C-alpha cells in the first residue's frame, strides 16, 4: 500500500542524482515455505495482505520493543470483505474499526524474532547482491562512535 510513495521517491532521487543506485525493497519478508509459515503462524496465516496490526507486526514489536505492546488489548478482527483490489478511500467493510486485519491474539516473541531474522537476512542479501559485500565489519561504525556524551 505504501510502495508507490517509495517508488516515486526513488524515481525522483534517481532523476536528480543519476550516479546513485537505489534499492527499493517493497516486501521485507522473503518467500517462506509452508513449513516456515506454519512454524510462525500456526494454522492462522491469512496472507501478508491481512497482516496489518496482526500476528506478524505484533510479534515483531514484541521482539523489538515489548514495552510498547499492550498485551491486554490484543484481539482478533477481520474485514467484512477481502477483495483483491483497493478502493480509495477504503470502504468500512475493507478495514474494521480496530484496524486489525487478522489474528493478533496469538502473537509471540519467538515468532517476532524469527520474522526479524528472516527480514534481516533478506535485506543483507538484497544489499550485498546489488552493492557488493561490506568492506568493514558489521557494526563497525556503531562501535567506533564516541558514546561518552
Amino acid at each position: 500500500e505504501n510502495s508507490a510513495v517509495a517508488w516515486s521517491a526513488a524515481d525522483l532521487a534517481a532523476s536528480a542524482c543519476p550516479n546513485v543506485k537505489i534499492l527499493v525493497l517493497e516486501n521485507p519478508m522473503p518467500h517462506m515455505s509452508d513449513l516456515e509459515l506454519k512454524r510462525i503462524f500456526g494454522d492462522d496465516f491469512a496472507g501478508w495482505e491481512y497482516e496489518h496490526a496482526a500476528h506478524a507486526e505484533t510479534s515483531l514489536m514484541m521482539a523489538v520493543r515489548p514495552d510498547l505492546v499492550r498485551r491486554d488489548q490484543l484481539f482478533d478482527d477481520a474485514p467484512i470483505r477481502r477483495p483483491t483490489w483497493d478502493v480509495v478511500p477504503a470502504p468500512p467493510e475493507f478495514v474494521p474499526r480496530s484496524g486489525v486485519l487478522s489474528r493478533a491474539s496469538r502473537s509471540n516473541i519467538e515468532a517476532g524474532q524469527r520474522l526479524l531474522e528472516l527480514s534481516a537476512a533478506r535485506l543483507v542479501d538484497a544489499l550485498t547482491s546489488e552493492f557488493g559485500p561490506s568492506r568493514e565489519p558489521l557494526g563497525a561504525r556503531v562501535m567506533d562512535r564516541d558514546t561518552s556524551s
Side-chain angles (χ1 to χ4, degrees), residues 2 7 45-46 53 78 89 91 96 111:
N2 299 321
W7 276 104
F45 186 61

Side-chain angles (χ1 to χ4, degrees), residues 2-128:
N2 299 321
S3 64
V5 175
W7 276 104
S8 179
D11 188 51
L12 288 171
S15 295
C17 304
N19 295 328
V20 172
K21 187 175 186 179
I22 301 165
L23 174 71
V24 178
L25 189 66
E26 291 181 40
N27 182 355
M29 295 299 161
H31 173 75
M32 293 182 206
S33 68
D34 290 343
L35 185 63
E36 187 71 58
L37 288 170
K38 187 168 183 69
R39 176 182 171 195
I40 294 168
F41 295 94
D43 293 323
D44 296 326
F45 186 61
W48 290 112
E49 62 272 28
Y50 300 108
E51 272 304 312
H52 180 72
H55 183 81
E57 291 183 357
T58 305
S59 293
L60 280 164
M61 286 302 297
M62 287 176 166
V64 177
R65 287 294 306 270
D67 57 305
L68 297 179
V69 178
R70 299 176 185 166
R71 294 171 190 257
D72 61 322
Q73 295 183 22
L74 296 181
F75 62 94
D76 305 328
D77 208 346
I80 295 168
R81 290 180 54 207
R82 292 183 173 196
T84 56
W85 58 84
D86 289 318
V87 175
V88 178
E93 64 269 21
F94 281 27
V95 182
R97 291 181 72 148
S98 67
V100 177
L101 299 182
S102 187
R103 295 192 81 141
S105 64
R106 295 187 182 174
S107 302
N108 61 80
I109 291 172
E110 294 78 18
Q113 289 170 335
R114 183 65 182 146
L115 289 166
L116 193 58
E117 290 168 7
L118 291 168
S119 60
R122 177 165 162 76
L123 180 58
V124 168
D125 181 49
L127 290 170
T128 55

